[in-house]
Amino acid sequence: MNATSALPAGGVASTPPARRHTGRCLRQLALLALLLGVMIARVLLGTPVIAPADALAVLRGEMIPGVSFIVLHSRLPVTVVGVLAGIAFGAAGCLFQTLLRNPLASPDVIGVSLGASTGGVLALAVASTAAGAQFWGSLIGGVTTAVLVLLIAGAHRGTAGRGRVDNRFVLVGVGIGAALSAVISYVVTRLPSRAAGDALHWSIGSLTSSTWPRAQVLALSLAVLLPLLAALRTRLRILQLGEETAAGLGVPVVTTRLALIGLGVLFTSLAVAVTGPIAFVALLAGPIARALAGRPSLVDSALVGAVIVVGGDVLGSTAFGPVDLPVGVLTGALGAPFLLWLLTRTEENR
């Protein structure tokens, strides 16, 4: 028997495979169309508004004074970075939530995003003029935080429990995240006023500093990480059957679990390094995708994450007159009540 054929499908197990495949294709095409719509809106809308004909002419290579610079060097990099960061946040959220079987277990909640933020802010404080210091600081901060959470949660103890991640992992992550938030606040108070302003702006989460080199770094990173995630997707689904069943089916449980955690940490840390910690995207994308698909879906979560980031940036740059709100402010405002709803729903389901 094929191992994956027995996996729980959240109410869709009785649906014929061909019908499920068609439904999945249609759903993902709809998400791609929605993403394309918000991408076009991000390029055209703002101050000034760009006419579609002018934008198309610029993309075909025609030089239009003013318009060419705005489209090619301002709005397109912002759009591309927003899509890539949203994919990374969405995939990381679904990965952690599925692995830990907890809808609250997103990188925002378990401290990984705050760890990457702390690394970035510390890098700004120590080596603000060094090229790439903030990027590498964020990566190191995210990875270090994840290792610390694993150690404190006891994932290294005993042969049977080695690499185990459960609600203890989530609670330890929440505690460490709170401590790291205090560290960020303290470091910012010790910075010169201009550096403190830059650190605060970055720690909110924004696409305004997006450039083609940043988009290139994020694209190359995802080009490596996404195939690895695709290769481990089946193992992730088998792990949902339980550790003993997964081991019986030949899955190396500990290695697979740690590899999946490592991928989730890298997705989160890379996105934070480029855009700052755009709040709650990882938390929102997974449940929304699950509501659409009827079960956890990495592809759907990545697409939903991209729609949230780019759509939020469109809203922040156009809906409040002369005030240009960072996308992190809007996702934070939307994510907070969503988190409360999830908490209430989880409590009701017990």
Side-chain angles (χ1 to χ4, degrees):
M1 181 178 68
N2 187 347
T4 60
S5 64
L7 299 180
V12 295
S14 59
T15 306
R19 190 173 174 183
R20 286 207 305 271
H21 178 73
T22 302
R24 182 170 63 246
C25 291
L26 290 175
R27 185 178 63 251
Q28 292 174 356
L29 282 175
L31 286 172
L32 282 172
L34 180 59
L35 177 59
L36 181 62
V38 293
M39 290 173 66
I40 292 173
R42 186 62 189 89
V43 172
L44 299 181
L45 300 181
T47 306
V49 175
I50 304 295
D54 289 344
L56 281 174
V58 169
L59 293 177
R60 288 172 182 162
E62 185 177 337
M63 291 300 296
I64 302 177
V67 175
S68 294
F69 179 82
I70 292 172
V71 171
L72 295 179
H73 299 288
S74 177
R75 295 185 185 174
L76 266 181
V78 164
T79 305
V80 173
V81 168
V83 170
L84 296 174
I87 288 173
F89 282 126
C94 181
L95 183 50
F96 278 114
Q97 289 162 347
T98 305
L99 183 64
L100 276 70
R101 302 180 189 179
N102 187 334
L104 300 175
S106 78
D108 314 90
V109 176
I110 61 177
V112 177
S113 295
L114 277 167
S117 303
T118 306
V121 171
L122 285 173
L124 275 176
V126 175
S128 59
T129 58
Q134 189 178 22
F135 178 84
W136 290 110
S138 298
L139 277 184
I140 294 171
V143 172
T144 303
T145 302
V147 172
L148 189 61
V149 173
L150 282 170
L151 290 176
I152 296 177
H156 62 294
R157 295 173 188 160
T159 302
R162 190 171 298 163
R164 176 169 294 172
V165 286
D166 49 21
N167 285 334
R168 180 184 173 88
F169 179 88
V170 178
L171 292 173
V172 170
V174 171
I176 289 183
L180 291 174
S181 181
V183 171
I184 292 174
S185 299
Y186 174 75
V187 172
V188 169
T189 63
R190 308 305 299 173
L191 290 174
S193 57
R194 182 170 181 178
D198 292 341
L200 280 175
H201 186 265
W202 176 79
S203 63
I204 290 173
S206 171
L207 301 180
T208 53
S209 58
S210 299
T211 59
W212 284 122
R214 293 187 179 206
Q216 187 177 20
V217 169
L218 200 48
L220 290 175
S221 302
L222 292 185
V224 174
L225 296 179
L226 286 174
L228 293 176
L229 180 58
L232 291 173
R233 186 174 60 176
T234 301
R235 291 187 180 184
L236 174 63
R237 296 182 62 193
I238 295 175
L239 279 179
Q240 292 180 268
L241 297 174
E243 296 176 8
E244 293 182 359
T245 303
L249 291 171
V251 174
V253 174
V254 175
T255 304
T256 301
R257 194 187 289 142
L258 293 178
L260 290 168
I261 291 174
L263 281 176
V265 171
L266 288 177
F267 275 121
T268 306
S269 301
L270 284 165
V272 170
V274 173
T275 66
I278 302 178
F280 292 128
V281 175
L283 177 71
L284 291 165
I288 292 174
R290 188 163 56 249
L292 294 174
R295 61 181 178 179
S297 170
L298 288 166
V299 175
D300 289 15
S301 296
L303 291 174
V304 170
V307 169
I308 291 173
V309 173
V310 181
D313 198 51
V314 172
L315 192 62
S317 61
T318 59
F320 302 95
V323 178
D324 192 356
L325 285 182
V327 61
V329 174
L330 290 174
T331 57
L334 291 173
F338 187 79
L339 176 60
L340 293 175
W341 177 78
L342 269 182
L343 285 169
T344 306
R345 185 169 175 268
T346 302
E347 189 67 27
E348 287 175 350
N349 289 337
R350 287 179 179 174

